[in-house]
Amino acid sequence: MRLMREAKKVKQETIAHLTKVSAPQVSKIEAGKRRATRAFAVAVDDYLGAGGALVNLWEDLNKDGHPVPIWFDWPVIEADAAMLVCYEQSVMPGLAQTPAYASAILHGNQEAVEARISRQAIITGGDRTVPPTLVIMVDEQALHRPVGTSETMSSFQRDAVSRS
């Protein structure tokens, strides 16, 4: 999108005004840090005269209701890693979440919770003789920010203490 926008000499502020999002949000969408809505993709595609390219890309990235491309198999990539490093500012990373915590974050989507928790086999050994080194940096507030019920937080904190 950025290449198309710059080729037409259109500013992010123009896209922001057109789509009714902030210019920083447009920047994050272009950098892949924020997910665009389909309406956003349609509006920008029309404005830039992209001939459906941006809409087709959006649809490819959201096939079958999945928010990432079907070809992007993150658990496989993680399973081959020698070291996993993650930084979270707001919540605990998925590799450190309990099922109850994940359920609260994922709004009770049990399939997504099971997928997230199953990824933890990567750090507990799974099929590998030597699991990857896991480095997690978390803003202290993420440790205290309520997620789900008080029982969810109590069990998360108990589990976190037993893991350390």
Side-chain angles (χ1 to χ4, degrees):
M1 180 181 108
R2 180 178 55 100
L3 294 174
M4 290 179 184
R5 178 183 58 74
E6 289 175 346
K8 301 263 183 175
K9 299 188 183 335
V10 174
K11 295 185 178 201
Q12 285 181 341
E13 291 80 10
T14 303
I15 299 297
H17 180 72
L18 170 76
T19 58
K20 297 182 178 32
V21 300
S22 68
Q25 292 295 348
V26 172
S27 178
K28 288 177 183 176
I29 289 169
E30 287 185 347
K33 294 179 180 178
R34 179 75 49 164
R35 197 169 305 285
T37 64
R38 188 176 198 290
F40 179 94
V42 168
V44 175
D45 190 281
D46 287 345
Y47 187 80
L48 296 178
L54 295 175
V55 175
N56 290 337
L57 179 60
W58 185 92
E59 288 173 354
D60 183 48
L61 293 172
N62 291 279
K63 275 190 178 152
D64 301 321
H66 296 290
V68 295
I70 226 72
W71 45 262
F72 190 81
D73 197 354
W74 192 246
V76 172
I77 294 168
E78 285 180 331
D80 287 339
M83 178 182 284
L84 299 169
V85 179
C86 59
Y87 171 77
E88 288 290 341
Q89 186 174 357
S90 314
V91 297
M92 292 304 296
L95 289 173
Q97 291 178 3
T98 63
Y101 191 98
S103 182
I105 293 289
L106 298 168
H107 307 288
N109 180 333
Q110 199 55 38
E111 183 181 343
V113 170
E114 289 170 11
R116 178 164 294 176
I117 298 304
S118 71
R119 285 177 47 223
Q120 293 177 359
I122 294 164
I123 57 173
T124 58
D127 296 333
R128 294 173 59 161
T129 52
V130 178
T133 301
L134 177 64
V135 178
I136 296 176
M137 294 177 281
V138 182
D139 183 84
E140 184 178 359
Q141 292 306 308
L143 299 171
H144 303 289
R145 184 171 289 108
V147 172
T149 66
S150 58
E151 289 174 353
T152 299
M153 292 306 293
S154 293
S155 69
F156 175 77
Q157 290 165 346
R158 240 187 342 269
D159 191 50
V161 169
S162 69
R163 287 189 209 181
S164 55

PDB file of all heavy atoms in Angstrom, residues 100-122:
ATOM      1  N   ALA A 100      -6.680 -20.346  31.218  1.00  0.00           N
ATOM      2  CA  ALA A 100      -7.694 -19.376  31.637  1.00  0.00           C
ATOM      3  C   ALA A 100      -7.332 -17.968  31.163  1.00  0.00           C
ATOM      4  O   ALA A 100      -8.198 -17.213  30.712  1.00  0.00           O
ATOM      5  CB  ALA A 100      -7.857 -19.396  33.154  1.00  0.00           C
ATOM      6  N   TYR A 101      -6.063 -17.616  31.257  1.00  0.00           N
ATOM      7  CA  TYR A 101      -5.594 -16.296  30.813  1.00  0.00           C
ATOM      8  C   TYR A 101      -5.794 -16.170  29.299  1.00  0.00           C
ATOM      9  O   TYR A 101      -6.324 -15.177  28.809  1.00  0.00           O
ATOM     10  CB  TYR A 101      -4.118 -16.145  31.179  1.00  0.00           C
ATOM     11  CG  TYR A 101      -3.544 -14.759  31.020  1.00  0.00           C
ATOM     12  CD1 TYR A 101      -3.417 -13.906  32.109  1.00  0.00           C
ATOM     13  CD2 TYR A 101      -3.087 -14.308  29.792  1.00  0.00           C
ATOM     14  CE1 TYR A 101      -2.854 -12.648  31.984  1.00  0.00           C
ATOM     15  CE2 TYR A 101      -2.529 -13.048  29.641  1.00  0.00           C
ATOM     16  CZ  TYR A 101      -2.411 -12.217  30.740  1.00  0.00           C
ATOM     17  OH  TYR A 101      -1.855 -10.968  30.602  1.00  0.00           O
ATOM     18  N   ALA A 102      -5.392 -17.201  28.558  1.00  0.00           N
ATOM     19  CA  ALA A 102      -5.556 -17.195  27.104  1.00  0.00           C
ATOM     20  C   ALA A 102      -7.032 -17.094  26.733  1.00  0.00           C
ATOM     21  O   ALA A 102      -7.402 -16.386  25.801  1.00  0.00           O
ATOM     22  CB  ALA A 102      -4.926 -18.439  26.487  1.00  0.00           C
ATOM     23  N   SER A 103      -7.883 -17.803  27.447  1.00  0.00           N
ATOM     24  CA  SER A 103      -9.319 -17.766  27.175  1.00  0.00           C
ATOM     25  C   SER A 103      -9.881 -16.360  27.375  1.00  0.00           C
ATOM     26  O   SER A 103     -10.707 -15.898  26.585  1.00  0.00           O
ATOM     27  CB  SER A 103     -10.060 -18.761  28.072  1.00  0.00           C
ATOM     28  OG  SER A 103     -11.428 -18.768  27.776  1.00  0.00           O
ATOM     29  N   ALA A 104      -9.401 -15.676  28.406  1.00  0.00           N
ATOM     30  CA  ALA A 104      -9.859 -14.304  28.651  1.00  0.00           C
ATOM     31  C   ALA A 104      -9.389 -13.377  27.528  1.00  0.00           C
ATOM     32  O   ALA A 104     -10.157 -12.548  27.033  1.00  0.00           O
ATOM     33  CB  ALA A 104      -9.363 -13.806  30.003  1.00  0.00           C
ATOM     34  N   ILE A 105      -8.149 -13.528  27.101  1.00  0.00           N
ATOM     35  CA  ILE A 105      -7.591 -12.690  26.035  1.00  0.00           C
ATOM     36  C   ILE A 105      -8.293 -12.967  24.703  1.00  0.00           C
ATOM     37  O   ILE A 105      -8.561 -12.067  23.928  1.00  0.00           O
ATOM     38  CB  ILE A 105      -6.068 -12.944  25.883  1.00  0.00           C
ATOM     39  CG1 ILE A 105      -5.308 -12.457  27.107  1.00  0.00           C
ATOM     40  CG2 ILE A 105      -5.510 -12.323  24.604  1.00  0.00           C
ATOM     41  CD1 ILE A 105      -5.236 -10.971  27.273  1.00  0.00           C
ATOM     42  N   LEU A 106      -8.585 -14.246  24.452  1.00  0.00           N
ATOM     43  CA  LEU A 106      -9.158 -14.664  23.165  1.00  0.00           C
ATOM     44  C   LEU A 106     -10.680 -14.755  23.200  1.00  0.00           C
ATOM     45  O   LEU A 106     -11.284 -15.390  22.340  1.00  0.00           O
ATOM     46  CB  LEU A 106      -8.540 -16.006  22.743  1.00  0.00           C
ATOM     47  CG  LEU A 106      -7.030 -15.955  22.516  1.00  0.00           C
ATOM     48  CD1 LEU A 106      -6.454 -17.359  22.386  1.00  0.00           C
ATOM     49  CD2 LEU A 106      -6.696 -15.119  21.287  1.00  0.00           C
ATOM     50  N   HIS A 107     -11.288 -14.155  24.219  1.00  0.00           N
ATOM     51  CA  HIS A 107     -12.748 -14.067  24.338  1.00  0.00           C
ATOM     52  C   HIS A 107     -13.430 -15.429  24.270  1.00  0.00           C
ATOM     53  O   HIS A 107     -14.471 -15.584  23.636  1.00  0.00           O
ATOM     54  CB  HIS A 107     -13.318 -13.121  23.283  1.00  0.00           C
ATOM     55  CG  HIS A 107     -12.670 -11.778  23.277  1.00  0.00           C
ATOM     56  ND1 HIS A 107     -12.884 -10.852  24.277  1.00  0.00           N
ATOM     57  CD2 HIS A 107     -11.772 -11.225  22.431  1.00  0.00           C
ATOM     58  CE1 HIS A 107     -12.159  -9.774  24.031  1.00  0.00           C
ATOM     59  NE2 HIS A 107     -11.476  -9.976  22.931  1.00  0.00           N
ATOM     60  N   GLY A 108     -12.803 -16.425  24.909  1.00  0.00           N
ATOM     61  CA  GLY A 108     -13.424 -17.740  25.021  1.00  0.00           C
ATOM     62  C   GLY A 108     -13.375 -18.590  23.761  1.00  0.00           C
ATOM     63  O   GLY A 108     -13.981 -19.658  23.725  1.00  0.00           O
ATOM     64  N   ASN A 109     -12.647 -18.173  22.733  1.00  0.00           N
ATOM     65  CA  ASN A 109     -12.523 -18.962  21.508  1.00  0.00           C
ATOM     66  C   ASN A 109     -11.663 -20.185  21.821  1.00  0.00           C
ATOM     67  O   ASN A 109     -10.437 -20.122  21.816  1.00  0.00           O
ATOM     68  CB  ASN A 109     -11.905 -18.124  20.391  1.00  0.00           C
ATOM     69  CG  ASN A 109     -11.736 -18.881  19.094  1.00  0.00           C
ATOM     70  OD1 ASN A 109     -11.603 -20.095  19.065  1.00  0.00           O
ATOM     71  ND2 ASN A 109     -11.718 -18.140  18.007  1.00  0.00           N
ATOM     72  N   GLN A 110     -12.322 -21.308  22.115  1.00  0.00           N
ATOM     73  CA  GLN A 110     -11.628 -22.492  22.613  1.00  0.00           C
ATOM     74  C   GLN A 110     -10.614 -23.044  21.616  1.00  0.00           C
ATOM     75  O   GLN A 110      -9.547 -23.497  22.004  1.00  0.00           O
ATOM     76  CB  GLN A 110     -12.639 -23.580  23.007  1.00  0.00           C
ATOM     77  CG  GLN A 110     -12.066 -24.627  23.927  1.00  0.00           C
ATOM     78  CD  GLN A 110     -11.448 -24.040  25.210  1.00  0.00           C
ATOM     79  OE1 GLN A 110     -11.940 -23.088  25.795  1.00  0.00           O
ATOM     80  NE2 GLN A 110     -10.342 -24.608  25.632  1.00  0.00           N
ATOM     81  N   GLU A 111     -10.925 -22.993  20.326  1.00  0.00           N
ATOM     82  CA  GLU A 111      -9.982 -23.479  19.315  1.00  0.00           C
ATOM     83  C   GLU A 111      -8.694 -22.656  19.337  1.00  0.00           C
ATOM     84  O   GLU A 111      -7.587 -23.197  19.290  1.00  0.00           O
ATOM     85  CB  GLU A 111     -10.628 -23.417  17.931  1.00  0.00           C
ATOM     86  CG  GLU A 111      -9.758 -23.959  16.828  1.00  0.00           C
ATOM     87  CD  GLU A 111     -10.421 -23.866  15.454  1.00  0.00           C
ATOM     88  OE1 GLU A 111     -11.651 -23.679  15.386  1.00  0.00           O
ATOM     89  OE2 GLU A 111      -9.689 -23.983  14.467  1.00  0.00           O
ATOM     90  N   ALA A 112      -8.842 -21.333  19.456  1.00  0.00           N
ATOM     91  CA  ALA A 112      -7.676 -20.449  19.509  1.00  0.00           C
ATOM     92  C   ALA A 112      -6.897 -20.659  20.803  1.00  0.00           C
ATOM     93  O   ALA A 112      -5.666 -20.643  20.804  1.00  0.00           O
ATOM     94  CB  ALA A 112      -8.111 -18.991  19.381  1.00  0.00           C
ATOM     95  N   VAL A 113      -7.605 -20.884  21.920  1.00  0.00           N
ATOM     96  CA  VAL A 113      -6.946 -21.137  23.206  1.00  0.00           C
ATOM     97  C   VAL A 113      -6.117 -22.416  23.110  1.00  0.00           C
ATOM     98  O   VAL A 113      -4.944 -22.448  23.504  1.00  0.00           O
ATOM     99  CB  VAL A 113      -7.974 -21.236  24.356  1.00  0.00           C
ATOM    100  CG1 VAL A 113      -7.311 -21.729  25.636  1.00  0.00           C
ATOM    101  CG2 VAL A 113      -8.656 -19.895  24.581  1.00  0.00           C
ATOM    102  N   GLU A 114      -6.706 -23.480  22.588  1.00  0.00           N
ATOM    103  CA  GLU A 114      -5.993 -24.755  22.461  1.00  0.00           C
ATOM    104  C   GLU A 114      -4.766 -24.619  21.562  1.00  0.00           C
ATOM    105  O   GLU A 114      -3.707 -25.168  21.870  1.00  0.00           O
ATOM    106  CB  GLU A 114      -6.932 -25.842  21.942  1.00  0.00           C
ATOM    107  CG  GLU A 114      -7.969 -26.256  22.967  1.00  0.00           C
ATOM    108  CD  GLU A 114      -9.055 -27.163  22.406  1.00  0.00           C
ATOM    109  OE1 GLU A 114      -8.917 -27.663  21.264  1.00  0.00           O
ATOM    110  OE2 GLU A 114     -10.059 -27.366  23.119  1.00  0.00           O
ATOM    111  N   ALA A 115      -4.910 -23.871  20.465  1.00  0.00           N
ATOM    112  CA  ALA A 115      -3.772 -23.654  19.571  1.00  0.00           C
ATOM    113  C   ALA A 115      -2.663 -22.896  20.290  1.00  0.00           C
ATOM    114  O   ALA A 115      -1.483 -23.242  20.169  1.00  0.00           O
ATOM    115  CB  ALA A 115      -4.220 -22.891  18.328  1.00  0.00           C
ATOM    116  N   ARG A 116      -3.040 -21.880  21.068  1.00  0.00           N
ATOM    117  CA  ARG A 116      -2.038 -21.086  21.782  1.00  0.00           C
ATOM    118  C   ARG A 116      -1.322 -21.932  22.840  1.00  0.00           C
ATOM    119  O   ARG A 116      -0.100 -21.918  22.943  1.00  0.00           O
ATOM    120  CB  ARG A 116      -2.691 -19.868  22.436  1.00  0.00           C
ATOM    121  CG  ARG A 116      -1.695 -19.039  23.241  1.00  0.00           C
ATOM    122  CD  ARG A 116      -2.207 -17.687  23.556  1.00  0.00           C
ATOM    123  NE  ARG A 116      -2.351 -16.919  22.329  1.00  0.00           N
ATOM    124  CZ  ARG A 116      -2.858 -15.697  22.291  1.00  0.00           C
ATOM    125  NH1 ARG A 116      -3.245 -15.106  23.396  1.00  0.00           N
ATOM    126  NH2 ARG A 116      -2.978 -15.043  21.146  1.00  0.00           N
ATOM    127  N   ILE A 117      -2.086 -22.668  23.611  1.00  0.00           N
ATOM    128  CA  ILE A 117      -1.493 -23.471  24.686  1.00  0.00           C
ATOM    129  C   ILE A 117      -0.648 -24.611  24.105  1.00  0.00           C
ATOM    130  O   ILE A 117       0.409 -24.948  24.645  1.00  0.00           O
ATOM    131  CB  ILE A 117      -2.583 -23.994  25.647  1.00  0.00           C
ATOM    132  CG1 ILE A 117      -3.318 -22.815  26.314  1.00  0.00           C
ATOM    133  CG2 ILE A 117      -1.999 -24.947  26.683  1.00  0.00           C
ATOM    134  CD1 ILE A 117      -2.442 -21.827  27.066  1.00  0.00           C
ATOM    135  N   SER A 118      -1.081 -25.181  22.991  1.00  0.00           N
ATOM    136  CA  SER A 118      -0.304 -26.273  22.386  1.00  0.00           C
ATOM    137  C   SER A 118       1.073 -25.788  21.925  1.00  0.00           C
ATOM    138  O   SER A 118       2.023 -26.572  21.874  1.00  0.00           O
ATOM    139  CB  SER A 118      -1.067 -26.917  21.230  1.00  0.00           C
ATOM    140  OG  SER A 118      -1.121 -26.049  20.119  1.00  0.00           O
ATOM    141  N   ARG A 119       1.195 -24.506  21.599  1.00  0.00           N
ATOM    142  CA  ARG A 119       2.499 -23.948  21.212  1.00  0.00           C
ATOM    143  C   ARG A 119       3.511 -24.057  22.340  1.00  0.00           C
ATOM    144  O   ARG A 119       4.720 -24.058  22.101  1.00  0.00           O
ATOM    145  CB  ARG A 119       2.358 -22.476  20.827  1.00  0.00           C
ATOM    146  CG  ARG A 119       1.730 -22.253  19.491  1.00  0.00           C
ATOM    147  CD  ARG A 119       1.549 -20.771  19.174  1.00  0.00           C
ATOM    148  NE  ARG A 119       2.723 -19.976  19.440  1.00  0.00           N
ATOM    149  CZ  ARG A 119       2.689 -18.777  20.034  1.00  0.00           C
ATOM    150  NH1 ARG A 119       1.545 -18.252  20.437  1.00  0.00           N
ATOM    151  NH2 ARG A 119       3.800 -18.106  20.232  1.00  0.00           N
ATOM    152  N   GLN A 120       3.045 -24.144  23.582  1.00  0.00           N
ATOM    153  CA  GLN A 120       3.965 -24.181  24.712  1.00  0.00           C
ATOM    154  C   GLN A 120       4.801 -25.455  24.743  1.00  0.00           C
ATOM    155  O   GLN A 120       5.832 -25.510  25.404  1.00  0.00           O
ATOM    156  CB  GLN A 120       3.198 -23.985  26.014  1.00  0.00           C
ATOM    157  CG  GLN A 120       2.607 -22.599  26.110  1.00  0.00           C
ATOM    158  CD  GLN A 120       1.771 -22.381  27.352  1.00  0.00           C
ATOM    159  OE1 GLN A 120       1.591 -23.259  28.175  1.00  0.00           O
ATOM    160  NE2 GLN A 120       1.244 -21.171  27.485  1.00  0.00           N
ATOM    161  N   ALA A 121       4.390 -26.485  23.985  1.00  0.00           N
ATOM    162  CA  ALA A 121       5.197 -27.707  23.890  1.00  0.00           C
ATOM    163  C   ALA A 121       6.578 -27.390  23.318  1.00  0.00           C
ATOM    164  O   ALA A 121       7.543 -28.103  23.587  1.00  0.00           O
ATOM    165  CB  ALA A 121       4.489 -28.743  23.024  1.00  0.00           C
ATOM    166  N   ILE A 122       6.665 -26.307  22.561  1.00  0.00           N
ATOM    167  CA  ILE A 122       7.941 -25.881  21.991  1.00  0.00           C
ATOM    168  C   ILE A 122       8.970 -25.618  23.086  1.00  0.00           C
ATOM    169  O   ILE A 122      10.132 -25.976  22.961  1.00  0.00           O
ATOM    170  CB  ILE A 122       7.746 -24.610  21.135  1.00  0.00           C
ATOM    171  CG1 ILE A 122       6.882 -24.932  19.925  1.00  0.00           C
ATOM    172  CG2 ILE A 122       9.063 -23.988  20.723  1.00  0.00           C
ATOM    173  CD1 ILE A 122       6.319 -23.699  19.246  1.00  0.00           C
TER     174      ILE A 122
END
